[in-house]
Amino acid sequence: MRIAVDAMGGDAAPVEIIKGAVAAARFYTDHEMILVGDQDRIKSELVACGATTVDNISVVHASQVVGMNESATVAVRKKADSSITKSVKLVAEKAADAVVSAGNTGASVAAASLFLRTLEHVKRPGIAVSIPTFHGACMVIDAGANIQCKPSHLMQYGVMASVFCKYVLNIEKPRVGLLNIGEEDAKGNELVKETFSLLSNTSLNFVGNAEGRDVFDGKFDIVVCEGFVGNVLLKFAEGLSISMLAAFALEAKKSVWTRLGAWLCKPVREHLYSKMDYTEYGGVPLLGIDGICIISHGRSDSKTIQNAIREAIQFGKYEVNKHINTELEIANSSLVTAI
Amino acid sequence: MRIAVDAMGGDAAPVEIIKGAVAAARFYTDHEMILVGDQDRIKSELVACGATTVDNISVVHASQVVGMNESATVAVRKKADSSITKSVKLVAEKAADAVVSAGNTGASVAAASLFLRTLEHVKRPGIAVSIPTFHGACMVIDAGANIQCKPSHLMQYGVMASVFCKYVLNIEKPRVGLLNIGEEDAKGNELVKETFSLLSNTSLNFVGNAEGRDVFDGKFDIVVCEGFVGNVLLKFAEGLSISMLAAFALEAKKSVWTRLGAWLCKPVREHLYSKMDYTEYGGVPLLGIDGICIISHGRSDSKTIQNAIREAIQFGKYEVNKHINTELEIANSSLVTAI
């Protein structure tokens, strides 16, 4: 596979991105990494990595960069030669098979939606984020690609995430939940009530409504929600976990004994950090796009990028998009029946 | 003040509820506690507490109980003699000034909306939950009373919570944020975009959009959101924090040293627990109701109830409802101008 890596996207770009792509190129020798961005900077970083002679790395120049806080749609329209737009365009022109970016998430979604379009049977793409829990990961979809959803979009998210879980994560019958304010069938606003009925009409393993806390209790492999809610939720979770670990560290400083205890517990805290560590997870797929698009956290380091590239390769290997289209064709017909 | 306490509502009802009310009656001797529920059970609990001769406790019989998982509106309509309905009706009939319940939240909201109605200038009541953070509490409103909001409802939540923060929590100019998926003014769905413009037209200290993580960083005293989002968020936070502390405890068991460390850190964990402990916070006000309604967590114990009663007393003492009406009259006129 040929993977276009947005070398300029992310807080630690281009250094960490390039390091990660070089490591991936050395590990996945059958695959090609195309570094997209300022070619002079990329080349000097490749020299620094001692990677100028690595066969499966190439460079494509892009003169612009979309900033992390720029308005996504404006940036995509105005910066035609940005590293993210150019990476996505490589896939659109069949010069690459996948794109990996740790840059502005909105710009990635906008560029992918604009230049790659959605798969035949998909109405809206969705970002699928895996949340680590005691009972394995729980996939929340959508995390912000589609902030104003219709019931059919949410139903399709259930299908797309199920395909991903089945083929990539090897979960035979992924349990799908609908994020809601109560477990009873009749709960919720109009959007979730209609979605509940649509999901019930599919062949998915739809378990029912999931409350916020159910994400952590192992009852669901997938939790479907509107992008606005998913985005707010994940940023809230980030704030809360950082706040809790910081509170622990601060409180532990208050006496000699608790300081000793915290020191002895360091491996425990490190384990918790690694569990919450997005770098371990690489990136998240933008499902529904006609192409492969892996979005990495803005704070990605080289390890994150390497893992994101691994995910792009798996996505292609297991032909996720082909299966999404097949499954959605069936699900959409049940949608027609339901309506 | 006369406080109607729903003696039958909550997981630990009636024992813990009655204990809490008795403790409050002994502490707040100028106020009267009216225990509402099965009079035989209440009386025998009062005997067990040695409280049969406490002057400022009285009992009102209610023959029915709304279960924690019953549909709220059905329960309120069908169970006219339930402890929660009867408690609320005491306020409606001016036989009590406030109601405290740890029972079915939906039923409390439904009963209060039905029998007490909203204050003159209020469109919809909202549940205001204080989230403890390093930088003091951040109040999230609405946490589930109103799952399908209009922009004017959200604007009014900003006003009502500001009044509460000003008069009860003594924050002169509470900083109000609008929960959104980005900090830029133009972000979000139609609801938040319109709300943004309404909030900007009030005299509130409206700081702008708040992302999920901003709840924890001390930038906002109040974060306004639709009830659906607020409810999902708070249940998610509950699941995440329990999950993190459980993960810590489990992981610490893996070696003698980490076990020792965890033991030494016990005060730290207890401090964190107490920070997250809803029993410390008593209950949350249902703002906008023509009466005082404090909703306690379903898992409330006697300490929680005692704190919830304290909150009801403060709510009355600082004349929160009078101020809400005054402030909303002004804010609504700016709403008319804005439209």
Side-chain angles (χ1 to χ4, degrees):
Chain A
M1 264 172 70
R2 298 155 305 165
I3 296 143
V5 180
D6 171 9
M8 314 307 285
D11 297 341
V15 180
E16 289 293 320
I17 314 297
I18 294 169
K19 271 190 194 163
V22 167
R26 286 180 167 139
F27 192 81
Y28 302 110
T29 48
D30 292 344
H31 301 275
E32 190 193 337
M33 309 301 144
I34 308 169
L35 288 164
V36 184
D38 180 331
Q39 60 187 4
D40 294 339
R41 289 210 61 184
I42 295 174
K43 280 179 184 164
S44 71
E45 280 308 323
L46 287 175
V47 171
C49 294
T52 44
T53 56
V54 179
D55 278 348
N56 57 339
I57 295 182
S58 60
V59 178
V60 167
H61 182 64
S63 62
Q64 294 172 304
V65 178
V66 174
M68 296 302 271
N69 294 317
E70 276 189 82
S71 159
T73 40
V74 174
V76 169
R77 271 197 217 108
K78 291 201 174 163
K79 291 189 173 172
D81 202 47
S82 74
S83 57
I84 178 64
T85 299
K86 205 138 183 185
S87 302
V88 169
K89 277 185 175 166
L90 287 177
V91 180
E93 294 155 3
K94 310 286 179 207
D97 304 295
V99 54
V100 167
S101 177
N104 184 316
T105 299
S108 298
V109 174
S113 306
L114 194 64
F115 301 116
L116 298 177
R117 308 259 165 180
T118 55
L119 290 163
E120 189 187 348
H121 297 291
V122 173
K123 288 170 189 282
R124 290 281 188 287
I127 300 173
V129 175
S130 288
I131 296 184
T133 80
F134 263 140
H135 313 274
C138 178
M139 179 170 268
V140 172
I141 181 169
D142 168 51
N146 181 7
I147 59 166
Q148 218 143 5
C149 288
K150 291 184 178 169
S152 59
H153 304 164
L154 293 184
M155 181 278 271
Q156 290 202 337
Y157 290 154
V159 175
M160 295 198 284
S162 291
V163 167
F164 188 88
C165 285
K166 184 173 171 187
Y167 292 97
V168 180
L169 307 180
N170 220 6
I171 303 169
E172 187 51 41
K173 272 273 175 198
R175 295 156 304 164
V176 179
L178 174 64
L179 194 62
N180 204 337
I181 56 163
E183 287 175 6
E184 309 81 41
D185 297 3
K187 278 267 180 179
N189 54 24
E190 287 313 310
L191 173 66
V192 292
K193 279 184 194 167
E194 279 184 48
T195 306
F196 191 98
S197 122
L198 289 186
L199 282 168
S200 307
N201 271 309
T202 62
S203 59
L204 293 177
N205 184 9
F206 177 52
V207 181
N209 288 326
E211 289 194 88
R213 67 173 80 91
D214 296 334
V215 168
F216 300 94
D217 70 5
K219 277 193 230 160
F220 301 95
D221 301 302
I222 295 159
V223 167
V224 170
C225 65
E226 193 170 30
F228 186 90
V229 180
N231 190 281
V232 160
L233 210 68
L234 290 165
K235 286 181 183 156
F236 188 79
E238 202 181 320
L240 177 60
S241 13
I242 291 170
S243 163
M244 275 182 73
L245 286 171
F248 187 95
L250 191 79
E251 192 59 28
K253 280 189 187 149
K254 289 191 180 163
S255 87
V256 175
W257 295 111
T258 52
R259 210 179 296 167
L260 172 64
W263 181 75
L264 289 169
C265 282
K266 212 179 155 201
V268 178
R269 284 182 293 145
E270 280 171 352
H271 175 82
L272 289 185
Y273 267 120
S274 78
K275 274 253 186 190
M276 292 186 324
D277 183 5
Y278 51 87
T279 64
E280 292 283 350
Y281 296 91
V284 296
L286 179 64
L287 296 178
I289 285 294
D290 190 6
I292 300 169
C293 181
I294 305 291
I295 297 171
S296 266
H297 200 288
R299 291 203 294 272
S300 293
D301 63 10
S302 62
K303 189 174 70 173
T304 327
I305 296 300
Q306 207 181 338
N307 284 328
I309 291 169
R310 186 197 66 225
E311 285 170 15
I313 293 170
Q314 286 180 326
F315 200 102
K317 179 180 163 194
Y318 296 116
E319 301 182 295
V320 173
N321 281 343
K322 193 188 84 180
H323 293 297
I324 283 180
N325 243 341
T326 312
E327 296 291 333
L328 268 187
E329 197 173 358
I330 301 167
N332 286 349
S333 66
S334 78
L335 186 69
V336 175
T337 322
I339 292 165
Chain B
M1 264 173 71
R2 300 154 304 166
I3 295 144
V5 179
D6 170 9
M8 314 306 284
D11 297 342
V15 181
E16 289 293 320
I17 313 296
I18 294 168
K19 271 190 195 165
V22 167
R26 285 180 169 141
F27 192 81
Y28 303 108
T29 46
D30 291 344
H31 301 274
E32 190 192 336
M33 308 300 143
I34 307 169
L35 288 163
V36 183
D38 180 332
Q39 62 186 4
D40 294 339
R41 290 209 59 187
I42 294 172
K43 282 179 181 163
S44 71
E45 282 306 324
L46 287 175
V47 172
C49 295
T52 43
T53 56
V54 180
D55 278 347
N56 57 339
I57 295 181
S58 61
V59 178
V60 168
H61 182 64
S63 62
Q64 295 171 303
V65 179
V66 174
M68 294 302 271
N69 293 317
E70 273 189 84
S71 160
T73 40
V74 175
V76 169
R77 270 196 218 109
K78 290 200 175 164
K79 291 187 172 172
D81 202 48
S82 74
S83 56
I84 176 65
T85 299
K86 206 140 185 182
S87 302
V88 170
K89 277 184 174 167
L90 288 178
V91 180
E93 293 155 2
K94 311 284 179 208
D97 305 293
V99 54
V100 167
S101 176
N104 184 318
T105 299
S108 297
V109 174
S113 306
L114 195 63
F115 302 115
L116 298 177
R117 306 263 166 174
T118 55
L119 290 163
E120 189 188 348
H121 297 290
V122 173
K123 288 169 187 281
R124 292 280 187 287
I127 300 173
V129 175
S130 287
I131 297 184
T133 80
F134 263 140
H135 313 274
C138 178
M139 178 169 269
V140 173
I141 179 168
D142 167 53
N146 181 7
I147 60 167
Q148 218 142 4
C149 287
K150 291 184 178 168
S152 58
H153 303 164
L154 293 184
M155 182 278 274
Q156 290 203 337
Y157 290 155
V159 176
M160 294 197 284
S162 290
V163 167
F164 187 88
C165 284
K166 184 174 171 185
Y167 292 96
V168 180
L169 307 179
N170 219 7
I171 303 170
E172 187 51 39
K173 271 275 176 197
R175 295 155 304 165
V176 179
L178 174 63
L179 194 62
N180 205 336
I181 56 164
E183 287 174 6
E184 309 81 40
D185 296 5
K187 279 266 180 180
N189 54 24
E190 286 313 309
L191 173 66
V192 291
K193 279 183 195 168
E194 280 184 48
T195 306
F196 190 98
S197 120
L198 290 185
L199 282 168
S200 308
N201 271 309
T202 61
S203 60
L204 293 177
N205 184 8
F206 176 51
V207 181
N209 287 326
E211 290 195 88
R213 66 173 80 91
D214 295 334
V215 169
F216 301 95
D217 69 6
K219 279 192 231 160
F220 302 95
D221 300 303
I222 294 160
V223 168
V224 170
C225 64
E226 193 170 31
F228 186 90
V229 179
N231 191 281
V232 160
L233 210 69
L234 290 165
K235 287 181 183 157
F236 187 80
E238 201 180 321
L240 177 61
S241 16
I242 292 170
S243 165
M244 274 183 73
L245 286 172
F248 187 95
L250 192 79
E251 192 58 28
K253 279 190 186 149
K254 290 191 179 163
S255 87
V256 174
W257 296 112
T258 52
R259 209 178 299 166
L260 173 62
W263 181 76
L264 289 170
C265 283
K266 211 177 156 201
V268 178
R269 284 181 294 146
E270 280 172 353
H271 175 83
L272 288 185
Y273 267 119
S274 79
K275 273 248 182 194
M276 294 186 325
D277 184 4
Y278 51 87
T279 62
E280 292 284 350
Y281 296 91
V284 296
L286 178 64
L287 296 178
I289 285 295
D290 190 8
I292 299 169
C293 181
I294 305 291
I295 297 172
S296 267
H297 199 289
R299 293 203 293 273
S300 292
D301 64 10
S302 61
K303 189 174 68 172
T304 327
I305 295 300
Q306 207 181 336
N307 284 328
I309 291 168
R310 185 197 67 224
E311 285 169 15
I313 294 170
Q314 286 180 325
F315 200 101
K317 178 181 163 193
Y318 296 114
E319 300 183 296
V320 174
N321 282 342
K322 192 189 85 180
H323 295 297
I324 284 181
N325 244 341
T326 311
E327 296 291 332
L328 268 186
E329 196 172 1
I330 301 166
N332 286 350
S333 66
S334 78
L335 187 68
V336 175
T337 322
I339 290 164

